[in-house]
Amino acid sequence: DRILTAKILLGIFFTVGITGMALPASRETFTSLTPVALLLSIAAVILFHKSHDPAREFLFFLFVFIAAFIIEAIGVKTGRIFGSYRYETGLGPKIFETPLMIGANWALLVYCTAVISARFPVSDFLKIIAGSALMLAYDLILEQAAPVMKMWSFQDNVIPWRNYASWFLLAVIFHSLLRLSGVRTENRIAPFVLYVQAVFFIILIIILKFAR
């Protein structure tokens, strides 16, 4: 079964990642592999995506990638969207002090949370809210792991409330546009990708922050 094989491989990959991050001797090396983990997650999702209009779907996710990158770049420059923060080296190459991978991360999260919320027996409006709420919950976890993984850090290590408010608002916008675009949200691996990443970050937070 391809889906089971993919889940096992992803599980092994992230388990090895936790082990590597937990050991001080290998932490720097595994931190630099964060973009690889993100690309692997994206590849898995693409592999199991059921497409019916590839051109439209490509254009939508390209739009999310570019829009999210621009918003993040403005946020870093001005400090007025998410608060005062800066990107470090964990997400790879940067343009305008903003890693290119952050746009890909937004596109991946919008898609995975849309796949999950599409399964809820509720109206499209509530699916949009549910998907956005899932992204907010993910961000609550990710913000705790980001500094230790050298992804980004906020000024004085204080995450302002507007970071979460802006994240949720942008999630609502992207989820609404996804619904309007007609992009299909059928994918057997997408929920697992989101869950395994969240578990990875939670375990990492416990190991690096609390188990000292």
Side-chain angles (χ1 to χ4, degrees):
D1 190 332
R2 287 197 315 152
I3 188 70
L4 179 59
T5 301
K7 287 180 177 180
I8 291 172
L9 290 175
L10 283 170
I12 292 172
F13 181 85
F14 280 98
T15 300
V16 172
I18 290 171
T19 305
M21 287 294 297
L23 300 173
S26 57
R27 189 170 300 154
E28 191 73 27
T29 299
F30 276 82
T31 297
S32 67
L33 292 175
T34 300
V36 176
L38 182 55
L39 288 173
L40 180 64
S41 298
I42 292 171
V45 165
I46 292 174
L47 182 64
F48 287 93
H49 172 66
K50 294 184 178 181
S51 175
H52 73 100
D53 192 340
R56 177 186 297 185
E57 292 162 359
F58 174 79
L59 287 175
F60 171 77
F61 288 111
L62 179 63
F63 166 78
V64 173
F65 174 90
I66 294 173
F69 176 83
I70 291 173
I71 291 167
E72 292 276 1
I74 293 172
V76 169
K77 186 68 174 178
T78 66
R80 294 182 178 180
I81 299 176
F82 303 101
S84 297
Y85 69 109
R86 65 185 179 88
Y87 281 103
E88 299 182 39
T89 58
L91 286 173
K94 294 182 282 188
I95 299 177
F96 304 120
E97 301 177 57
T98 306
L100 290 168
M101 290 304 296
I102 199 63
N105 190 55
W106 270 96
L108 176 66
L109 292 178
V110 169
Y111 179 72
C112 288
T113 52
V115 170
I116 295 171
S117 62
R119 299 177 177 181
F120 299 161
V122 294
S123 65
D124 283 349
F125 172 76
L126 290 179
K127 287 177 181 177
I128 290 169
I129 298 301
S132 302
L134 284 171
M135 285 188 65
L136 178 60
Y138 182 93
D139 186 51
L140 287 167
I141 298 169
L142 180 58
E143 293 293 355
Q144 308 307 310
V148 297
M149 294 187 68
K150 296 185 178 180
M151 291 193 284
W152 64 79
S153 58
F154 280 86
Q155 186 175 17
D156 301 322
N157 293 318
V158 176
I159 305 171
W161 69 268
R162 73 169 174 264
N163 170 69
Y164 299 114
S166 297
W167 181 280
F168 181 75
L169 178 60
L170 286 171
V172 169
I173 293 172
F174 287 140
H175 271 273
S176 299
L177 292 175
L178 184 146
R179 287 281 163 193
L180 289 172
S181 71
V183 172
R184 288 186 68 177
T185 50
E186 288 184 53
N187 195 305
R188 295 196 296 161
I189 198 74
F192 181 81
V193 167
L194 188 74
Y195 299 148
V196 77
Q197 286 190 0
V199 170
F200 170 82
F201 290 130
I202 291 170
I203 294 174
L204 195 61
I205 292 165
I206 293 171
I207 292 174
L208 298 182
K209 286 194 170 186
F210 301 111
R212 293 179 178 176

